[in-house]
Amino acid sequence: TSAKLAATKAVAADANVTAIDILERLADLNLRLGGLQLNCSELEKTVDAANQMIQDPEKNIHAAGAKVKDLEDEADRLLEKLQPIKKLQDNLRRNISQIKELINQARKQANSIKVSVSSGGDCLRSYRPDIRKGRYNAIILHVKTTTSDNLLFYLGSVKYVDFLALEMRKGKVNFLWDVGSGVGRVEYPHHTIDNGNWHRIEASRNGLNGTISVYPLEGPMAGMMPSPASDNSPTAYTILDVDQNAYLFVGGIFGTAKKAEAVRASTFTGCMGETFLDGKPIGLWNYRDRQGDCKGCVVSPQRTDGEGTFQLDGEGYAAVGRPARWNPNVSTVTFKFRTFSTDALLMYLATEDM
């Protein structure tokens, strides 16, 4: 009997352990069922909302349309507020254009001032070059001086070695240039200009070739037609690479400016008259910066024979009368031309006897 009771107690203990395990599992299952019920409840709410949207699409479309209309109204209000700003911008553009035009007119008027500039050696002026890089350049200036060494004109690139310069060495005019392949120099050998008389200097560069002519405007040699002098720079480049940011000085150069070593002079003493670069006038009083004491002097005289410019289309011609000073034994004719024609008659000279 004792043995059976012990066995019965053991079975009862196992049953108790099993019952406790089952209760724990039931509690866990109840928790899971509770979470499932919660998820089912949220799912029901989501389904109800979806059903509501499906059941009432016109209401949703109307609400969306109302929001779009509100956005359109807001955009219209913003555009209406932007109208004054747009008008102000248009007015500013017009005003800026008018100011630019006034500045251009003022520069043109300043360029038209023909009063010459007198320098005792300390008057230095820089200018705004109206120039583009190219194969051809022309410089014309009028000068009166009694000093044998002067820097008359200097145009130099900010980035490269390219430059154009006119200077006096022992009274003779030198034309120097460099287009990237070495310095070219040609000196006008026929006479000096440090005699206190006005002279007109014409220098031009076409590719590698440089040419210079000096016209006496006063004194015993006035009116004589000069024989041009020319020379070439080292072969390679032909384009002068400068722009409106380049250095441009007429009569001396600032000590802080970059100057080619080939150019010896750096100051100017005398009177500088009308100056042209590539056919455009450089207003001597329309300078960018100035140093030293600059004064005015008399207007430079002009050539008496007068230069004529003609534009022909291939079907016409220009007839020029015989000059007042005429030597029937020796005649020199000098003229400049530009053409795109490969075959052209440039000049025909005939006398009355012919």
Side-chain angles (χ1 to χ4, degrees):
T1 300
S2 296
K4 289 181 179 180
L5 286 173
T8 300
K9 288 180 180 180
V11 171
D14 292 338
N16 188 27
V17 173
T18 303
I20 291 172
D21 184 57
I22 291 173
L23 289 174
E24 290 177 354
R25 293 184 180 182
L26 287 173
D28 185 59
L29 183 60
N30 286 331
L31 290 175
R32 294 183 179 181
L33 288 173
L36 183 60
Q37 289 177 355
L38 181 62
N39 292 335
C40 289
S41 176
E42 293 178 355
L43 182 60
E44 288 178 357
K45 291 180 181 179
T46 303
V47 172
D48 290 340
N51 289 333
Q52 184 67 26
M53 294 179 66
I54 294 172
Q55 291 173 2
D56 197 5
E58 295 181 357
K59 182 179 179 181
N60 295 327
I61 294 173
H62 179 72
K67 290 183 179 180
V68 172
K69 184 65 169 61
D70 292 340
L71 290 175
E72 290 178 351
D73 294 340
E74 185 67 20
D76 292 337
R77 284 194 295 271
L78 289 174
L79 290 175
E80 185 176 356
K81 291 180 180 179
L82 289 174
Q83 287 299 324
I85 298 177
K86 187 177 180 182
K87 291 181 180 179
L88 180 60
Q89 289 178 342
D90 294 338
N91 292 333
L92 286 175
R93 290 192 184 98
R94 285 194 295 269
N95 291 336
I96 290 173
S97 299
Q98 293 175 357
I99 291 172
K100 288 182 178 180
E101 181 62 26
L102 291 174
I103 291 174
N104 290 331
Q105 292 179 4
R107 286 178 176 173
K108 290 179 180 179
Q109 291 178 357
N111 287 338
S112 65
I113 297 176
K114 296 183 178 181
V115 177
S116 303
V117 178
S118 175
S119 172
D122 61 343
C123 173
L124 306 173
R125 303 167 310 281
S126 67
Y127 298 90
R128 300 175 182 85
D130 186 6
I131 190 173
R132 295 180 180 178
K133 62 181 181 180
R135 296 186 70 256
Y136 178 82
N137 299 104
I139 305 168
I140 298 175
L141 57 84
H142 300 76
V143 62
K144 179 174 71 172
T145 182
T146 57
T147 304
S148 58
D149 295 327
N150 281 311
L151 178 59
L152 306 177
F153 179 95
Y154 189 87
L155 172 68
S157 173
V158 175
K159 298 180 180 179
Y160 309 105
V161 298
D162 301 33
F163 77 93
L164 297 175
L166 282 170
E167 70 172 348
M168 293 172 56
R169 297 181 181 180
K170 297 181 179 180
K172 294 184 178 181
V173 183
N174 286 254
F175 177 38
L176 300 92
W177 69 97
D178 188 347
V179 290
S181 56
V183 177
R185 184 176 75 90
V186 55
E187 182 179 78
Y188 191 74
H190 301 298
H191 57 265
T192 59
I193 67 169
D194 56 346
N195 54 10
N197 294 323
W198 279 101
H199 291 81
R200 175 187 174 100
I201 302 172
E202 296 184 1
S204 62
R205 180 195 66 90
N206 189 357
L208 300 174
N209 180 261
T211 303
I212 185 172
S213 299
V214 177
Y215 299 80
L217 301 178
E218 293 179 334
M221 300 178 65
M224 295 183 60
M225 293 295 294
S227 299
S230 64
D231 205 342
N232 293 328
S233 61
T235 304
Y237 303 111
T238 60
I239 302 296
L240 181 70
D241 200 345
V242 294
D243 55 21
Q244 295 182 353
N245 296 319
Y247 298 109
L248 176 58
F249 295 90
V250 180
I253 188 172
F254 293 165
T256 57
K258 183 180 71 173
K259 179 173 70 71
E261 295 181 357
V263 180
R264 298 178 182 176
S266 59
T267 61
F268 170 74
T269 301
C271 194
M272 184 67 67
E274 287 187 87
T275 305
F276 299 86
L277 174 60
D278 291 348
K280 300 175 184 178
I282 299 175
L284 297 181
W285 294 98
N286 186 23
Y287 47 79
R288 176 186 289 172
D289 295 304
R290 189 192 77 177
Q291 295 180 4
D293 185 18
C294 301
K295 299 179 180 180
C297 53
V298 297
V299 178
S300 60
Q302 302 298 313
R303 291 175 57 183
T304 56
D305 54 355
E307 289 189 3
T309 302
F310 306 95
Q311 184 175 354
L312 306 174
D313 58 1
E315 298 181 356
Y317 65 92
V320 181
R322 190 178 72 178
R325 297 183 179 181
W326 173 261
N327 187 339
N329 298 320
V330 179
S331 300
T332 301
V333 179
T334 303
F335 61 92
K336 300 178 181 179
F337 68 92
R338 294 183 183 180
T339 180
F340 294 101
S341 176
T342 56
D343 298 316
L345 176 61
L346 302 180
M347 185 193 70
Y348 179 77
L349 177 63
T351 64
E352 295 178 355
D353 297 336
M354 296 174 62

